[in-house]
Amino acid sequence: MPIEASEFIQNSDGSVYHLNLLPKHLANTVILVGDPDRVERITRHFDKVEFKIKKREFYTQTGYYKGKRISVMSTGIGPDNIDIVLNELDALVNIDFETREVKEEITSLDIIRIGTSGSIQKEIPVDSFLISESAIGFDGLLHFYESEHIQNAEFAEAFSEHLNWFKKKAAPYVVNGSENLIFRMESPKVYKGLTATNIGFYGPQGRILRIALQDNKMNDKLASFAFNNKKITNLEMETSAIYGLSKLLGHNAISMNAIIANRAAGTFSKNPKNTVDELIQYSLEQLAK
């Protein structure tokens, strides 16, 4: 049965609503970045760029790196944008744009986030790289979908008890990254950890400018929490949503983090642009192997 026009929205040229893409424009390997300016910092390493388009904060380029076809897309900041991007990426490969029906054969994408993050453990220094083995989300996005079967409820319950989680906040959820992509992207020079995805940059990450926090000890509690001898290592704003929606839709996802701040040590990278560029080159080389 065709999906109704109000649910699967297409532009006048047939492209998907927000991303403005047609299926032919998308590679099966997709790199996600938050900042639109970061797209060309990746594709400048490509052998060839065959397509580019921009709509709002969503900027996409598709091309080839050492013979491998890759799409690079900016998402903007936060889980709300990830909800748009992941659903429309899936539509591009798993919905027939002519009949508006879900395809019988489902395609799985490899989705790689390359972004910045702040460590909350002193032993993970600025200018290092970190792979998110799992992510815990504070945004509530996954609770709008039937998702209990992919969540680690035991982890989330232990976390909520340790932090004495405020009941008016969204219940935390925990999802694992793709084991295959983690194996592919790891190396001795890259840390692995548990990533906390926040709903904002200031209060939700424990920053105080002029507004008092509901829990001004939250970051200390995050840093002291451990589950099965693993600690939360870093904070950012997209990974749990990417992991959750990817797993629900049958895609593989990994988050590659450039650590540009250490909240425990109070330090910030002296050259964060260089750190991100080095992570970009590392990630491209791993993908091309």
Side-chain angles (χ1 to χ4, degrees):
M1 179 179 294
I3 302 171
E4 293 180 350
S6 61
E7 310 308 297
F8 172 46
I9 305 170
Q10 293 174 276
N11 299 309
S12 59
D13 63 353
S15 62
V16 69
Y17 186 50
H18 295 93
L19 302 183
N20 216 30
L21 297 173
L22 291 167
K24 65 182 180 180
H25 298 144
L26 188 71
N28 283 352
T29 298
V30 183
I31 296 175
L32 300 181
V33 296
D35 184 357
D37 290 340
R38 197 172 294 154
V39 171
E40 291 185 353
R41 287 166 62 186
I42 296 176
T43 60
R44 69 184 179 185
H45 299 287
F46 281 17
D47 309 314
K48 178 178 70 172
V49 173
E50 65 180 23
F51 175 80
K52 60 177 69 176
I53 194 166
K54 186 174 185 179
K55 183 179 180 181
R56 302 182 184 181
E57 60 266 62
F58 308 115
Y59 185 25
T60 303
Q61 292 193 17
T62 296
Y64 291 84
Y65 179 78
K66 295 187 175 180
K68 184 177 181 64
R69 191 169 187 248
I70 300 173
S71 293
V72 184
M73 177 183 299
S74 62
T75 65
I77 299 173
D80 49 346
N81 278 16
I82 296 301
D83 183 63
I84 292 171
V85 170
L86 263 293
N87 276 286
E88 293 193 4
L89 284 177
D90 181 75
L92 285 161
V93 293
N94 290 318
I95 294 176
D96 187 309
F97 275 42
E98 298 297 326
T99 66
R100 303 175 58 84
E101 295 181 341
V102 176
K103 296 178 180 179
E104 290 186 7
E105 185 174 338
I106 298 302
T107 296
S108 294
L109 299 171
D110 286 341
I111 299 170
I112 301 93
R113 171 192 177 268
I114 298 178
T116 56
S117 183
S119 168
I120 60 171
Q121 303 293 343
K122 285 187 177 180
E123 62 270 22
I124 301 176
V126 296
D127 301 323
S128 61
F129 305 156
L130 184 142
I131 289 173
S132 304
E133 292 183 294
S134 303
I136 180 166
F138 307 148
D139 51 276
L141 175 64
L142 229 58
H143 300 311
F144 288 88
Y145 298 93
E146 291 186 0
S147 60
E148 288 79 6
H149 61 290
I150 67 162
Q151 297 183 37
N152 187 332
E154 187 180 0
F155 185 135
E157 288 170 8
F159 174 86
S160 296
E161 182 177 348
H162 179 82
L163 267 76
N164 190 23
W165 193 251
F166 188 45
K167 294 187 183 300
K168 291 187 178 181
K169 295 176 182 176
Y173 63 88
V174 181
V175 189
N176 297 328
S178 163
E179 291 184 4
N180 289 338
L181 282 179
I182 291 171
F183 178 77
R184 186 174 181 179
M185 301 297 285
E186 67 183 355
S187 77
K189 68 181 286 187
V190 180
Y191 290 90
K192 289 190 286 188
L194 306 179
T195 297
T197 296
N198 302 82
I199 192 64
F201 183 78
Y202 286 95
Q205 294 191 38
R207 290 184 172 93
I208 302 173
L209 297 184
R210 295 204 316 116
I211 306 173
L213 301 178
Q214 180 272 323
D215 183 358
N216 60 11
K217 300 293 185 183
M218 186 180 76
N219 282 2
D220 292 337
K221 295 175 187 176
L222 287 173
S224 65
F225 174 73
F227 184 79
N228 290 342
N229 296 316
K230 292 188 176 183
K231 291 186 174 183
I232 293 175
T233 50
N234 60 305
L235 310 177
E236 51 75 74
M237 294 179 62
E238 290 89 26
T239 297
S240 65
I242 294 171
Y243 282 10
L245 292 177
S246 293
K247 199 166 288 288
L248 288 174
L249 292 165
H251 304 299
N252 305 303
I254 188 173
S255 181
M256 306 293 296
N257 301 273
I259 302 298
I260 62 170
N262 187 299
R263 302 294 298 281
T267 55
F268 192 84
S269 174
K270 293 181 179 179
N271 194 344
K273 183 176 181 295
N274 184 66
T275 302
V276 173
D277 286 340
E278 289 181 358
L279 178 59
I280 287 169
Q281 292 179 62
Y282 171 85
S283 298
L284 287 173
E285 286 301 311
Q286 295 298 108
L287 288 172
K289 287 182 178 179

